[in-house]
Amino acid sequence: MANKSGVLHSLMLIFITWRGNMRCCAITVDPPEDLAVLDSGRLGQMQITWSPPSCLTKMTECRPQYQLEYFNTYKNNWEILRTPSRTYGAQFDPSKDVHIRVYTILNGECTNNTMIMSENCTEMILKPPSTGLLGTEAKAFICVYHNMENLECSWTRGLKTPPSALQNLYFWHRSLDQAVECPSYILSGGVRKGCNFPGKYLPEFTDIYFCVNGSSREGPLKATFFSLQIQNQVKVTAPDKLHLQTSSDTELEFHWENPTGRLPAHCLEWEVRHHHVGAEGKISLNHIHTEKPSLTLPFSNSSKRNCFKVRSRLNSYCVDQSFWSDWSLETCHPDVDSRETTLGREMNSVSIYIYIAVVIIVVLVVCLCVWAAVNMRKSGPQKKVDSLLPKLLTNNLSQRVSKIYSGKKTCTDVVI
């Protein structure tokens, strides 16, 4: 009888424990506890930690999992993941709210192999620190990976940034222990406006986080944060070797060379700008996309002119985004530039002849002026004698006339 009562007592304890666990886990399982966020000092890299609910501390039949949800301020969406761990590292923009939610999940013998998640969650919202002068944050931050050879980042100052302020750029990625300052600043008028990263200074296909902050006499500047992967910032150099020819009376072949450097040829796509002038002066403009560095178009001898420009970028199969290169120089068929060059040379020859003629005329005029001036100086005394003779002749004639008419009272002097 005693043995029976002991067995019954044991069964009752097991039943009560099972009922308690089922009550805790099946319907009212609690969310995790002690949710905390620790800043590692790596431009927003934070460690999220939590503890299992107290009702699961003695449970061995089921190993709890957790569903972590946090708002990715760089991608502007919610990230959701499940993990058996009680810690997770995530990147946040320290200038924006940090929003985190954690749920408890059970699945195993304790739940009859049915997955159960807590109805409630443990939630945390952290507000950013209100440090830095308003209106002093960096604007228009952009990075360009030129030909996949060197990265150049630039920004503009905020409207209220003091003239004496000194701005700094720091960056971090998972291969670094701590944030690192810009290796080579780009200056404009003595003011930092960008940063140059030569060669393979930064890794590709890796999230890189940037911070632009600064200081001034008025106080610290407001920090701004950015995130990118450099392979998505590539700008290819403009094509510079273009070849245009007619393969027959009906086809026009246009091809160009791939840019040099580390750029993979299979990742390039091209856009061709075709400017066509028909026989009757009709003008058409077309944009043609191609994945090959060549193009064959129908051709007619009646066409007056066909002109082409090309630009390129990395396609979406290799990167998420990229910049278009600048347009190449224009090449035309027929080669109008060569005719214009010949005409220009002829015009230059004519201009040279005109300049020579003008110089000769000017020299002749100057010589004539000098010759005339010399003759004037040599003939100066003779001119004075010649000018006195009329005066002397006039005076003598006046005296003679006065004598002839002296007996008469008609006139005393006659001036001729």
Side-chain angles (χ1 to χ4, degrees), residues 121-140:
C121 66
T122 300
E123 187 173 15
M124 176 180 289
I125 300 177
L126 298 178
K127 295 292 183 180
S130 57
T131 57
L133 301 173
L134 294 178
T136 60
E137 61 272 15
K139 302 289 186 181

Side-chain angles (χ1 to χ4, degrees), residues 42-80:
R42 299 172 182 173
L43 306 185
Q45 173 70 15
M46 299 185 184
Q47 286 297 119
I48 307 170
T49 62
W50 58 88
S51 301
S54 57
C55 67
L56 300 181
T57 54
K58 297 181 180 180
M59 179 176 290
T60 58
E61 294 86 356
C62 292
R63 184 182 178 185
Q65 287 190 329
Y66 305 96
Q67 177 167 305
L68 173 65
E69 301 177 359
Y70 66 93
F71 189 77
N72 190 324
T73 51
Y74 289 111
K75 297 181 181 179
N76 200 31
N77 60 12
W78 281 92
E79 301 282 355
I80 302 175

Side-chain angles (χ1 to χ4, degrees), residues 290-309:
T290 177
E291 295 181 356
K292 298 180 179 180
S294 62
L295 200 63
T296 302
L297 297 174
F299 173 72
S300 175
N301 290 323
S302 61
S303 299
K304 289 185 177 180
R305 193 180 184 191
N306 286 277
C307 293
F308 297 89
K309 286 184 179 181

Side-chain angles (χ1 to χ4, degrees), residues 284-324:
S284 62
L285 181 63
N286 298 317
H287 288 263
I288 306 168
H289 291 267
T290 177
E291 295 181 356
K292 298 180 179 180
S294 62
L295 200 63
T296 302
L297 297 174
F299 173 72
S300 175
N301 290 323
S302 61
S303 299
K304 289 185 177 180
R305 193 180 184 191
N306 286 277
C307 293
F308 297 89
K309 286 184 179 181
V310 186
R311 64 177 183 174
S312 63
R313 69 176 179 183
L314 298 185
N315 58 41
S316 58
Y317 298 105
C318 295
V319 295
D320 294 334
Q321 63 180 27
S322 64
F323 298 105
W324 279 109

Side-chain angles (χ1 to χ4, degrees), residues 77-270:
N77 60 12
W78 281 92
E79 301 282 355
I80 302 175
L81 60 99
R82 291 182 177 179
T83 175
S85 177
R86 289 180 290 175
T87 180
Y88 185 80
Q91 195 76 27
F92 296 91
D93 185 342
S95 64
K96 299 179 181 178
D97 291 352
V98 174
H99 198 172
I100 302 170
R101 297 193 295 245
V102 187
Y103 296 84
T104 304
I105 297 176
L106 289 178
N107 188 10
E109 294 180 2
C110 63
T111 62
N112 196 21
N113 295 321
T114 301
M115 188 184 70
I116 299 173
M117 186 170 67
S118 60
E119 294 182 357
N120 300 322
C121 66
T122 300
E123 187 173 15
M124 176 180 289
I125 300 177
L126 298 178
K127 295 292 183 180
S130 57
T131 57
L133 301 173
L134 294 178
T136 60
E137 61 272 15
K139 302 289 186 181
F141 184 87
I142 187 173
C143 292
V144 180
Y145 195 18
H146 296 283
N147 232 35
M148 297 188 74
E149 294 175 354
N150 71 288
L151 181 75
E152 186 177 287
C153 298
S154 61
W155 63 86
T156 59
R157 288 192 160 201
L159 297 177
K160 297 183 180 180
T161 302
S164 61
L166 180 65
Q167 290 182 307
N168 309 304
L169 180 137
Y170 294 90
F171 65 95
W172 179 84
H173 52 81
R174 293 188 179 274
S175 299
L176 298 176
D177 293 332
Q178 293 296 329
V180 180
E181 190 173 2
C182 166
S184 177
Y185 284 105
I186 300 172
L187 303 180
S188 176
V191 177
R192 292 176 177 178
K193 293 295 183 67
C195 179
N196 186 46
F197 300 87
K200 296 182 180 180
Y201 200 90
L202 297 175
E204 298 174 4
F205 298 96
T206 300
D207 290 327
I208 303 174
Y209 302 93
F210 298 89
C211 170
V212 180
N213 58 16
S215 59
S216 68
R217 297 176 183 176
E218 290 78 0
L221 306 184
K222 197 170 185 63
T224 49
F225 298 85
F226 310 91
S227 173
L228 55 84
Q229 293 188 3
I230 64 173
Q231 81 279 352
N232 295 327
Q233 308 298 122
V234 175
K235 183 176 182 180
V236 184
T237 56
D240 58 351
K241 295 181 180 180
L242 282 66
H243 308 278
L244 183 61
Q245 61 185 13
T246 54
S247 59
S248 64
D249 293 338
T250 59
E251 287 186 343
L252 187 64
E253 290 187 352
F254 179 44
H255 61 95
W256 54 93
E257 297 182 13
N258 289 331
T260 58
R262 297 179 52 244
L263 296 167
H266 67 278
C267 289
L268 292 171
E269 65 177 358
W270 313 84

